[in-house]
Amino acid sequence: MVNPTPAAIKLARLNLSAFVQREARRTAEELGFGWRPAQVTPSGLEGLRAELRSCHQTGLPFRVLEDFSEDTIFMGKATNWAFRFVHDTRHVWLNADFSTEAELEVASCHLARAKADGLETGTLEYAFLFADTVGQTLYVEHTHRFVVHQRQFVLDCVRLGLDQAIERESASVYFDGTAS
């Protein structure tokens, strides 16, 4: 368990966000198109494949979900949208559906790319990315719901560990009245 200072948290969020933006730009350059936030987005692996094909044919940006981007570990909505672009395209590249095992495979890809970009294991940035990808995947597996308070969940994973982060998120969602 770690108790980082507010300054360390802010710096790590900035560094992680810079990595995500670099990764999204590299992905866009490789694919030949970027991304855009949208209310209606592709669903499932086949939907992502169809979106990728359409973007290749038209040059239009890849649609990523606009919603639920206000409360993330990243510095702003735009960085979360960039991350969604990278995440969704990784699903297609890895032929990974949305099962827990496949989500963990995609998370592993993100973590490997982060290490290759200089975000080493043991850094706060890496811990944040791990909690955001692996931690949230395990939360969904355990609760069958998505994390509502994403930034707090990531911080709780780092400060308290995954088990307590899951307990806290579950309790806060229940008491907020948003549990499904």
Side-chain angles (χ1 to χ4, degrees), residues 139 142-143 145 147-149 151-176:
Y139 178 85
H142 181 73
T143 65
R145 293 190 306 258
V147 174
V148 174
H149 307 101
R151 183 180 314 141
Q152 189 60 54
F153 178 80
V154 168
L155 293 171
D156 286 347
C157 282
V158 170
R159 290 177 176 145
L160 307 171
L162 180 61
D163 290 346
Q164 285 191 18
I166 289 174
E167 287 177 22
R168 287 177 59 120
E169 173 68 12
S170 295
S172 70
V173 169
Y174 177 76
F175 289 118
D176 286 349

Side-chain angles (χ1 to χ4, degrees), residues 128-143:
F128 284 169
L129 184 60
F130 186 90
D132 191 68
T133 57
V134 174
Q136 287 197 46
T137 297
L138 296 177
Y139 178 85
V140 170
E141 172 67 17
H142 181 73
T143 65

Side-chain angles (χ1 to χ4, degrees), residues 53-164:
R53 282 191 302 272
S54 175
C55 293
H56 273 297
Q57 292 169 350
T58 65
L60 292 172
F62 192 94
R63 294 173 296 153
V64 297
L65 183 62
E66 181 176 17
D67 296 335
F68 313 111
S69 294
E70 299 81 23
D71 184 31
T72 70
I73 199 62
F74 306 116
M75 298 298 285
K77 294 178 190 180
T79 304
N80 197 57
W81 299 332
F83 183 74
R84 286 181 176 169
F85 171 64
V86 171
H87 185 81
D88 288 352
T89 56
R90 294 304 181 268
H91 270 282
V92 175
W93 289 348
L94 295 169
N95 195 33
D97 60 21
F98 294 91
S99 66
T100 299
E101 295 79 12
E103 286 289 353
L104 291 172
E105 182 181 357
V106 174
S108 179
C109 178
H110 293 312
L111 294 166
R113 299 285 301 163
K115 285 201 294 195
D117 196 69
L119 300 181
E120 293 297 324
T121 306
T123 64
L124 196 50
E125 293 86 347
Y126 188 90
F128 284 169
L129 184 60
F130 186 90
D132 191 68
T133 57
V134 174
Q136 287 197 46
T137 297
L138 296 177
Y139 178 85
V140 170
E141 172 67 17
H142 181 73
T143 65
H144 307 287
R145 293 190 306 258
F146 290 103
V147 174
V148 174
H149 307 101
Q150 294 175 55
R151 183 180 314 141
Q152 189 60 54
F153 178 80
V154 168
L155 293 171
D156 286 347
C157 282
V158 170
R159 290 177 176 145
L160 307 171
L162 180 61
D163 290 346
Q164 285 191 18

